[in-house]
Amino acid sequence: MSRFKQPPPLEGLRREIARARDRKAEGQSSGFVRETYRLNRDEARAKAREWFSTWPKAAYWTEVESWRALPGKDDTIEFTMRRLPTAD
């Protein structure tokens, strides 16, 4: 038996998504610092580790935002790292 009788309200999420879209349309950033790299697989892993050691996830919300192997390239990875600009 499910503990929930109905799905949770999503109005707060809808408002936040709408605000983010409005900021993006106005040219405002999300507040995150992003950098995109194209490196071979070993170098890409090393660069991601460097980000996590320099800007710890707990303080800067550091994460690999995207990661993909480029087609036709010899083991080249394109990835984007993101973090908060400061740890408050």
Side-chain angles (χ1 to χ4, degrees), residues 61-76:
W61 293 7
T62 303
E63 73 176 23
V64 177
E65 191 170 58
S66 65
W67 181 280
R68 71 182 183 115
L70 295 176
K73 302 285 184 175
D74 191 31
D75 205 29
T76 300

